[in-house]
Amino acid sequence: MTTSSRYLEAPRRLRAFVRAHETSLVVLAALAGTVGGVVVLAMSVAVAGLHALLFNISIHERLSAQPLIDSLRALLVPSLGGFVLGVAFLLLLRWRPAREVDPIEANALYGGRMSFRGSVIVALQTIWSSGVGASVGLEAGYTQLSSGLAASLGRAFHMRRNDQRIMVGCGAAAAIAGAFGAPLAGAFYAFELVIGGYTPASLAPVGVAAVAGYFVTHGFAELKLGIAVGAVGDVLGRDLAIAVVFGALAALTGITIMRGVTLLEAVLAKTKLWPPLRPALGGLAVGGLAVLTPQVMSSGHGALHFASIVSMPLGFIAFVFVLKALASILSLGSGFRGGLFFATLFMGALGGRLFAAGVDIVWPGLNLDPNAYAVIGMSALSASVIGGPLTMSFIALESTGNLWLTTAVLVAVIISTTITRELFGYSFATWRLHLRGETIRSAADVGWIRDLTVGRMMRRDLTTVDAAMPMEEFRDKFPPGSKTQVVAVDGEGSYAGLVLVAEAHAPDIQTGKGLAAILHHTDVVLHPGMNIQEAIAVFDAAEAESLAVIEGDGDRRPIGTLTEAHAMRRYAEESEQRRREVIGEV
């Protein structure tokens, strides 16, 4: 985790006031939402400026909306931009060797703590990646910087763990609400993907932040943020059934894209290429695709205009769909920074148009509305890759205002996310964390489990005896009731087993036998770095009521003991504490 120990602090009296009043959290959430809206505006303008400078277009135009791009620029800008980004990564590793923590990981593992400096770095990398034409979205950068600023604001007021996590969600909600012009979608993005669930305590601050972010960005209509959808026809009962099939296809497509990014990363890693050459080659490949069609460049905001999508020839739609998928895989797999949110919206809309046309060919009498299935497609594919079925449903609702269409969208996204979780198990964000060795699948707070370690729970006042001690001597030294158990060690002080005092005094134990005859759990021990869940699993497997704790660095010297009863009690206490925090009782 990359958090700095130095950060601004609010005055003590003000911190106490904020911690004591729930409405103060709402006020801070409004501030975080306003800042999040400004972040979206600033990053969008920065990328538009890079596009204007590097590709010789107007700053008011979208790169992916261009009919043609100069071939030399299309090839050189992404490749040279990728090389610069790769060199920057190498230099950054010397300055900040630890990787940055994203909002989902911060809330799942670190109680909402994020590095402000690290968030700025990620945002700049995302701006540069999209600015040089790589097929990545800005949404990851939006949420990273907005959440990082909100987290810093929370730390300045020494917020409780759950309130700090809510602040991170507020930043993300504002960013998504501003980027898509959809405050409901922004709020549920925070609930589903960043906080890990909806609670009454989080409703007001997250909702206020989302609305604030929306209004800040909504005042700048010339940026053309959000999704513009044309008129949609009637949605019938048959569309709900067809949406089930479409959702399954979207899930398989999303899994293929996520696997493709991982496969390309693995292939490039095996080539042993100098790291800066990887994004340079990826950029060159994306530039080659852009020569064929500029719609593959950047996030695809300009290309996603439904009126133009439904009027394109089917062959060209399929062509752009394949090339956009390849460009996204090439960009992220080679090392560019960004996300797949808007890219999957664009590809899903193209896929929806293709799906509607395909069904009409097979069953000519249906006459499916291409606009409607473009909306269903963008939501279903994004739900597979990004997660958040309700988030995608609200994007559809706020973009179209059509409740019946949103019902069909909800059917498709439920099927899409269910199949993705069943066959793949992760969203794109949590899949990346899985590849780094993490096991989390959502932003649900599990960090406290990792913090509750054996080292924190064990008793250090252990009593040791020599495992070679005669039984009679042991009985004399430890009469009944003096101790429950004693840790036996060998001549070098290494752990040998546990001796139960009551068992040593049992009538059927012969005094001529040594302690070795009654040693328990000689090969089963705990280590101080184990978390509570790992410890409980060891207790269950060994059917033990108590175990010794030994050093975790290869040294078998005992340093304490832990009972299963104490571990279970501490687990129950911490679980209850987190439950009370979540529902706002403390």
Side-chain angles (χ1 to χ4, degrees):
M1 176 183 166
T2 56
T3 56
S4 172
S5 59
R6 297 180 180 178
Y7 56 93
L8 296 177
E9 289 186 330
R12 185 170 183 176
R13 289 187 178 181
L14 183 58
R15 297 201 309 263
F17 180 83
V18 168
R19 286 170 61 90
H21 296 82
E22 188 174 343
T23 53
S24 300
L25 178 61
V26 178
V27 173
L28 291 181
L31 178 58
T34 302
V35 172
V38 173
V39 165
V40 172
L41 290 173
M43 292 182 64
S44 300
V45 169
V47 170
L50 283 174
H51 288 168
L53 176 65
L54 300 176
F55 293 95
N56 194 29
I57 63 174
S58 170
I59 195 171
H60 300 292
E61 297 177 344
R62 293 284 189 179
L63 179 61
S64 59
Q66 300 302 305
L68 289 173
I69 296 178
D70 179 72
S71 298
L72 187 60
R73 288 179 183 269
L75 293 171
L76 288 181
V77 172
S79 57
L80 292 178
F83 180 78
V84 171
L85 182 68
V87 172
F89 274 133
L90 286 183
L91 296 176
L92 187 63
L93 282 175
R94 298 180 181 178
W95 178 45
R96 293 176 65 86
R99 63 179 178 82
E100 311 303 342
V101 174
D102 70 14
I104 295 176
E105 187 180 7
N107 267 4
L109 300 177
Y110 305 120
R113 289 174 173 260
M114 297 178 66
S115 166
F116 167 72
R117 186 179 302 171
S119 297
V120 171
I121 291 171
V122 171
L124 292 175
Q125 291 169 341
T126 305
I127 290 171
W128 180 257
S129 297
S130 186
V132 299
S135 184
V136 296
L138 286 172
E139 291 75 23
Y142 291 155
T143 56
Q144 178 76 37
L145 184 52
S146 298
S147 294
L149 289 168
S152 297
L153 182 61
R155 292 188 69 186
F157 285 89
H158 291 195
M159 285 189 167
R160 300 178 181 88
R161 183 186 184 96
N162 192 62
D163 290 342
Q164 178 72 15
R165 295 178 73 252
I166 289 175
M167 286 298 294
V168 172
C170 288
I176 296 301
F180 292 99
L184 280 175
F188 275 86
Y189 180 93
F191 293 140
E192 292 185 297
L193 301 176
V194 179
I195 298 176
Y198 159 81
T199 64
S202 63
L203 174 60
V206 170
V208 167
V211 171
Y214 166 77
F215 276 112
V216 169
T217 57
H218 191 65
F220 294 83
E222 61 271 16
L223 287 177
K224 299 178 181 178
L225 295 172
I227 302 171
V229 179
V232 178
D234 294 334
V235 176
L236 307 176
R238 68 183 187 190
D239 294 305
L240 301 183
I242 296 172
V244 173
V245 178
F246 195 14
L249 293 175
L252 297 177
T253 303
I255 293 171
T256 300
I257 292 172
M258 291 186 282
R259 288 284 189 186
V261 173
T262 305
L263 178 61
L264 180 59
E265 287 179 335
V267 169
L268 290 177
K270 289 181 180 179
T271 61
K272 305 298 183 181
L273 278 174
W274 187 42
L277 292 179
R278 299 175 190 175
L281 288 177
L284 182 62
V286 171
L289 299 177
V291 172
L292 301 176
T293 173
Q295 279 71 43
V296 304
M297 302 200 86
S298 194
S299 61
H301 277 79
L304 185 54
H305 289 287
F306 280 68
S308 61
I309 286 176
V310 297
S311 63
M312 292 179 185
L314 291 179
F316 182 71
I317 291 177
F319 180 67
V320 173
F321 178 88
V322 173
L323 263 60
K324 181 63 177 178
L326 287 175
S328 297
I329 292 171
L330 287 167
S331 298
L332 291 170
S334 62
F336 283 99
R337 206 66 183 257
L340 280 172
F341 200 150
F342 211 94
T344 51
L345 290 176
F346 178 41
M347 287 185 283
L350 295 176
R353 175 67 178 92
L354 292 172
F355 179 81
V359 172
D360 284 341
I361 292 173
V362 175
W363 198 336
L366 289 180
N367 294 322
L368 300 183
D369 183 359
N371 253 349
Y373 279 86
V375 175
I376 296 172
M378 74 175 192
S379 303
L381 183 57
S382 289
S384 173
V385 175
I386 307 302
L390 289 178
T391 301
M392 302 309 164
S393 299
F394 279 117
I395 284 181
L397 177 61
E398 292 175 288
S399 300
T400 65
N402 189 318
L403 186 59
W404 284 110
L405 175 58
T406 304
T407 304
V409 166
L410 182 60
V411 171
V413 299
I414 288 174
I415 297 299
S416 178
T417 51
T418 300
I419 292 178
T420 301
R421 290 186 67 85
E422 181 68 26
L423 299 182
F424 190 63
Y426 301 89
S427 67
F428 184 63
T430 55
W431 172 241
R432 308 286 278 181
L433 296 176
H434 169 73
L435 294 176
R436 297 168 186 160
E438 295 291 351
T439 58
I440 61 173
R441 296 194 181 192
S442 73
D445 189 5
V446 296
W448 66 269
I449 294 177
R450 299 191 179 190
D451 293 339
L452 192 60
T453 61
V454 169
R456 292 180 58 186
M457 295 184 292
M458 69 181 185
R459 294 191 59 173
R460 297 182 179 273
D461 56 340
L462 75 166
T463 303
T464 60
V465 296
D466 191 339
M469 177 183 290
M471 185 68 68
E472 193 63 35
E473 182 180 349
F474 181 86
R475 289 176 171 178
D476 291 339
K477 188 172 182 179
F478 298 99
S482 60
K483 294 283 184 182
T484 301
Q485 63 186 10
V486 179
V487 178
V489 297
D490 60 19
E492 297 179 353
S494 297
Y495 174 74
L498 287 178
V499 182
L500 303 180
V501 174
E503 184 180 8
H505 287 274
D508 58 342
I509 300 296
Q510 300 177 9
T511 58
K513 291 185 176 181
L515 292 181
I518 58 171
L519 291 180
H520 293 271
H521 311 304
T522 57
D523 297 323
V524 182
V525 294
L526 299 173
H527 299 287
M530 286 182 172
N531 64 51
I532 181 66
Q533 285 186 328
E534 293 169 337
I536 291 174
V538 174
F539 279 119
D540 287 341
E543 299 179 341
E545 296 182 3
S546 179
L547 289 172
V549 182
I550 68 171
E551 293 285 5
D553 56 1
D555 183 1
R556 287 185 58 83
R557 181 176 57 85
I559 58 174
T561 58
L562 179 65
T563 65
E564 182 184 31
H566 179 66
M568 294 296 291
R569 183 169 62 253
R570 290 289 296 116
Y571 183 77
E573 291 172 350
E574 290 293 330
S575 296
E576 175 62 14
Q577 175 68 17
R578 302 308 166 195
R579 185 195 68 81
R580 289 169 60 85
E581 288 179 355
V582 166
I583 64 177
E585 290 185 358
V586 293

